[in-house]
DNA sequence: CTGAAAGCGCTTACAG
DNA sequence: CTGAAAGCGCTTACAG
């Protein structure tokens, strides 16, 4: 099984043609080539290591253009590795962005690396990449993006309802002016999070107020600036939701810096995809994405898929969680403002 | 080149014997086997993928028993990947601890995974592992541990002199009572760091005071407890050095919790191997290990080694850095103490 | 414990 | 653009 001969028989060509197609030889009609590539993926062809007992290796494809692994990658990878515990299977990090030559199929690119299936950590800019890999029939599951195409496998997280629930929590504490800080560069997830915020407000008859929304760089600094910007408004919010981890930390630190008390002067809710909420003071109330779980669920499916045990694509949307910690409380009994540069208002 | 035949010729046996030795066949005398394994490693034998243009894959071996990647692994891996940028080479994560069956050589274990060389993220408990891999002649470089054996390659960091320099800084600010929090479970690195602390003190004629040293679990909680313990002493320190990242954060947070001002009541110096010092308030003064650099330097050498360009083992000790931020200042003008449970002393 | 020989899977000029 | 056939590298009963 899983030899060029086997594939040749299925497609109705010679073993030589299969070999050429799989090796990326140019003189192959694109139609037979496509048939061969998808047959190879169907039977899980590994590139013929003679009788060698090859170990199953899965790939983790990061679409980032930098070799640096973010804490987010790290959590996803931990989930992937957890899924593989006991399977004897290993994971290889693949930097597609930098490495893939344009003239080979993704299947060949992965196979040359000994990789039998891939988990793709994608973003909005790489949806076509995910489509292309899936179209070749190479075992693939996308993390953190949702697709309409029924043949594309993905595991993502929808935090909308937990964000709405977070708004409930703030409203119940007495907040009516709830600020929002979202990244300038919006992707599907952030549109989603902003929607959850608006849904939550509407549920309580509160109209989203554009003057309470700021767009910021997705960095520590960006979160800090959101504090300066919102809290120097004539009518500042009494609570604020930041939709990304680093800006959440930045907002919290900036409050300390400018002398605003958390949660006394402003209730702060962050977004966490790791453990950041637990590494700051006070412990940050946050909507949390189950990042490791994303990797775990995706890799569990991929492992079954590669072993021929999963026929259907996986299309899973995991829920977020809302964790109340120490940065939310009742609104201040007075208007709390600062100057745009962070100095107290009294010093005008 | 790099065929069983080639190895057979070098060792003076038949190709069949080489094949058996490399496949872990039991009926091979251990002496010929050893010769074959080391010859295979010398010529960079890859396990015969016929004419397939195999991609060079290096392994990252984590000796942790958990599949979770720590932030520390993440930084090391980032360095490794940075070194591999442009080389067309990939990195595979290998969990040796869980996977390796006792009856195969490390060389075979790695080769079966398509891995040509390994970076080992070791700890005190796995020095023998590093020795065993190196003895087989498999390309290997150890991170963060130092070895006497001249054939073992390593890249580690010695923070001693930067820690002594940190003590200079504190003494110059006027501190004489400088506490130390070290992990209960000491390894080479921590012995080293404690030594740097004592050296720094002696340089200023200060005798290390055992009552200012606490041993703590290497966790956030541990760092917090160090604060309670030291600051409730009859003669508490006016400054304190914590030798690990998580406890550093924990100490800082605990100070906020019990109402101690940083650096007004106590100067705090942490240890960072990533970016933690920048994610807290106030920004943490810290001795920093160039973690990404460790991975970078190690992988650069390994890449050359695997390509046959490096004949000598690498034995590199990198310096740490000392970064002054916002948590160190002159000592308080009075004795600052708390109760063991963290309540202020006045409330006794 | 080891070798000679048969066999298997893939690749690649060669031919069309 | 594709096939038949030769060739290459590794593995594995078989024999000693």
């Amino acid at each position: 099984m899983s030899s060029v001969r086997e594939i040749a028989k299925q497609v109705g060509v010679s073993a030589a043609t299969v070999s050429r197609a799989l090796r990326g030889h140019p003189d192959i009609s694109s139609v037979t080539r496509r048939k061969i590539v998808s047959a190879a993926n169907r039977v899980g062809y590994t590139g013929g290591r003679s009788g060698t007992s090859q170990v199953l290796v899965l790939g983790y494809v990061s679409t980032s253009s930098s070799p640096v692994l973010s804490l987010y990658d790290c959590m996803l990878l931990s989930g992937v590795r957890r899924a593989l515990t006991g399977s004897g299977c290993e994971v290889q990090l693949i930097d597609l962005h930098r490495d893939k030559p344009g003239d080979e199929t993704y299947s060949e690119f992965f196979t040359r690396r000994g990789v039998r299936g891939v988990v793709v950590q994608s973003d909005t800019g790489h949806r076509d990449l995910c489509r292309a890999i899936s179209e070749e029939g190479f075992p693939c599951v996308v993390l953190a993006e949702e697709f309409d195409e029924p043949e594309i496998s993905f595991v993502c997280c929808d935090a909308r309802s937990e964000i709405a629930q977070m708004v409930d929590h703030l409203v119940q504490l007495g907040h009516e002016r709830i600020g929002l800080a979202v990244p300038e560069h919006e992707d599907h997830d952030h549109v989603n999070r902003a929607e959850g915020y608006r849904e939550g407000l509407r549920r309580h008859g509160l109209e989203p107020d554009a003057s309470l929304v700021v767009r910021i760089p997705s960095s520590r600094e960006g979160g800090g600036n959101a504090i300066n910007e919102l809290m120097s408004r004539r009518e500042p919010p009494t609570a604020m939701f930041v939709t990304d981890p680093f800006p959440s930390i930045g907002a919290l630190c900036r409050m300390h810096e400018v002398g605003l008390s958390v949660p006394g002067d402003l209730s702060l809710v962050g977004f966490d995809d790791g453990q950041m909420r637990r590494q700051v003071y006070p412990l940050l109330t946050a909507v949390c994405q189950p990042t490791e779980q994303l990797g775990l669920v995706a890799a569990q499916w991929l492992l079954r898929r590669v072993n021929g045990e999963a026929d259907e694509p996986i299309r899973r949307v995991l829920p977020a969680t809302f964790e109340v910690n120490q940065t939310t409380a009742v609104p201040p009994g007075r208007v709390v403002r600062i100057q745009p540069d962070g100095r107290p208002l009294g010093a005008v």
Side-chain angles (χ1 to χ4, degrees), chain A residues 178-184 186 190 193-194 197 212-219 222-227 229-230 237 239-245 247-248 251 268-271:
Chain A
I178 302 172
L180 175 72
V182 288
E184 306 162 320
E186 286 210 329
H190 291 97
R193 290 173 200 168
Y197 161 82
L212 292 179
V213 177
V214 286
R215 314 197 87 79
I216 56 171
S218 188
S219 63
N225 294 345
I227 291 293
E229 208 171 313
L230 284 178
M240 176 177 171
F241 173 48
V242 185
T243 66
D244 257 339
S248 299
L268 183 66
V269 179
F271 189 91

Side-chain angles (χ1 to χ4, degrees), chain A residues 103-285:
Chain A
D103 59 347
E104 62 181 355
T105 62
Y106 288 102
S107 308
E108 189 192 357
F109 179 83
F110 295 133
T111 304
R112 285 208 300 137
R113 284 159 175 74
V115 166
R116 296 275 308 280
V118 289
V119 176
V120 182
Q121 188 264 301
S122 184
D123 57 35
T124 313
H126 291 85
R127 296 176 61 88
D128 281 341
L129 168 75
C130 303
R131 290 193 187 96
I133 298 172
S134 301
E135 264 168 30
E136 287 181 15
F138 193 83
C140 170
V141 51
V142 182
L143 292 174
E145 284 275 317
E146 200 167 348
F147 287 83
D148 292 330
E149 296 87 337
E151 73 278 11
I152 301 184
S153 287
F154 62 82
V155 179
C156 67
C157 171
D158 184 341
R160 218 168 356 177
S161 88
E162 291 73 20
I163 289 172
Q165 181 188 332
M166 174 275 293
V167 173
D168 288 347
H169 166 75
L170 291 175
V171 171
Q172 275 155 25
L173 286 169
H175 294 276
E176 295 187 349
R177 299 184 57 74
I178 302 172
L180 175 72
V182 288
E184 306 162 320
H185 191 72
E186 286 210 329
D187 61 16
H188 176 264
D189 270 355
H190 291 97
V191 171
N192 206 279
R193 290 173 200 168
E195 250 173 44
Y197 161 82
R198 284 190 293 268
E199 269 179 37
L201 290 180
R202 290 217 188 81
R203 196 187 285 178
H204 297 279
L206 296 170
E207 207 46 47
D209 178 346
S211 78
L212 292 179
V213 177
V214 286
R215 314 197 87 79
I216 56 171
S218 188
S219 63
R220 188 182 194 280
E221 187 66 14
N225 294 345
I227 291 293
N228 288 51
E229 208 171 313
L230 284 178
M231 297 308 286
S232 62
R233 296 266 156 91
R234 180 171 299 271
E235 295 188 84
T238 61
M240 176 177 171
F241 173 48
V242 185
T243 66
D244 257 339
F246 278 105
S248 299
I249 301 300
L252 183 60
C253 289
R254 183 63 57 84
M255 288 186 67
H256 289 305
E257 285 161 26
V258 301
L260 287 174
S261 142
V262 203
D265 292 336
L266 175 74
S267 284
L268 183 66
V269 179
F271 189 91
D272 199 2
D273 55 17
Q275 297 294 321
M276 279 196 173
R277 65 189 178 283
R278 305 200 169 124
Q279 288 162 18
V280 291
Y281 177 84
L283 296 180
L284 186 68
T285 295

Side-chain angles (χ1 to χ4, degrees), chain A residues 4-57:
Chain A
V4 280
R5 256 214 273 290
E6 163 77 8
I7 297 167
K9 193 157 52 175
Q10 287 200 19
V11 181
V13 295
S14 72
T17 302
V18 172
S19 173
R20 278 190 280 254
L22 260 23
R23 264 336 75 236
H25 193 96
D27 296 346
I28 291 278
S29 82
S30 61
V31 35
T32 52
R33 181 185 187 121
R34 194 161 16 240
K35 276 197 268 186
I36 289 169
V37 166
S38 94
N41 284 325
R42 201 164 48 237
V43 304
Y45 179 72
T46 60
R49 267 77 178 190
S50 314
T52 314
S53 67
Q54 188 68 12
V55 168
L56 184 60
V57 176

Side-chain angles (χ1 to χ4, degrees), chain A residues 301-314:
Chain A
W301 176 84
L302 186 62
L303 194 56
R304 297 202 309 122
R305 164 75 179 78
V306 165
N307 287 330
E309 297 160 21
D311 293 330
E312 295 297 306
I314 185 175

